[in-house]
Amino acid sequence: MNSIFNSTLFKDHVVIVTGGATGIGAQIAHDFSMLGATVIIASRKEDRCQKAAKGLSELTNNPVYAQSCNIRDEQDCSNLVQYACSEHGKLDVLINNGGGQFMSVAQQISKKGWNSVIDTNLTGTWNMTRAAADHWMLQHGGVILNITMLTQRGWPGMAHSVSARAGVEALTKTLAVEWASKNIRINCIQPGII
């Protein structure tokens, strides 16, 4: 598919996309790769991640790399960013797309279900953001983009996820101010129903 953008727009950029093996993350990874970036996709499921990277590499004629990473685990996040910096020399862009939820009316969400969604969507985003900042961006700058959801009016059946994503949006606004002087640009995108 042809793009309106120059195919070298992101040449020499290193990009991590969490949740990059499927859905929105895979499309983001595809588009960055098509525009010349070195893309690393990350997912908890290593086999799915490796298969997606192989497919994206073939589609874009540009190598896409895969790393397993559980964003709930601080060390996994740190390892992912360290891999990007040691193997590819830097980290220009972090796309926090990794997450997960399930449909449920609020009264049927168990404590385990609530904690699982908050730990993945909010804490996982924090873990990746902090790793990117600590290992590269606080010294060199960069871009962080958080994929959230429509939060302004709530989302019946998704009390856990909309709460976590609203937290990500508040975190993003806070860090955008705190880290502006470090040349870190951080924003959110709220996709609709995909």
Side-chain angles (χ1 to χ4, degrees), residues 48-60:
R48 183 167 65 180
C49 197
Q50 293 290 344
K51 184 177 177 183
K54 183 175 186 279
L56 287 166
S57 297
E58 291 169 1
L59 278 173
T60 64

Side-chain angles (χ1 to χ4, degrees), residues 151-169:
T151 59
Q152 288 86 347
R153 295 184 177 198
W155 194 309
M158 293 288 238
H160 46 8
S161 190
V162 78
S163 298
R165 307 296 184 154
V168 169
E169 290 167 6

Side-chain angles (χ1 to χ4, degrees), residues 31-137:
D31 292 351
F32 267 109
S33 184
M34 287 295 290
L35 298 175
T38 297
V39 177
I40 303 156
I41 61 171
S43 175
R44 278 183 307 122
K45 298 179 180 174
E46 185 170 3
D47 56 336
R48 183 167 65 180
C49 197
Q50 293 290 344
K51 184 177 177 183
K54 183 175 186 279
L56 287 166
S57 297
E58 291 169 1
L59 278 173
T60 64
N61 292 316
N62 188 17
V64 173
Y65 302 90
Q67 291 290 305
S68 67
C69 178
N70 178 356
I71 60 173
R72 294 184 197 180
D73 184 281
E74 289 179 20
Q75 190 60 54
D76 269 13
C77 296
S78 180
N79 291 345
L80 175 58
V81 174
Q82 287 178 2
Y83 163 81
C85 294
S86 64
E87 294 297 316
H88 303 286
K90 60 181 179 168
L91 174 60
D92 298 292
V93 181
L94 168 63
I95 308 292
N96 279 316
N97 175 69
Q101 57 271 319
F102 53 91
M103 291 290 294
S104 177
V105 293
Q107 66 269 26
Q108 293 179 2
I109 298 174
S110 67
K111 179 179 179 180
K112 180 180 178 184
W114 175 269
N115 288 339
S116 177
V117 171
I118 298 298
D119 287 348
T120 302
N121 297 342
L122 178 56
T123 306
T125 297
W126 169 247
N127 288 342
M128 278 305 307
T129 299
R130 187 64 194 263
D134 289 347
H135 294 296
W136 185 262
M137 292 187 181

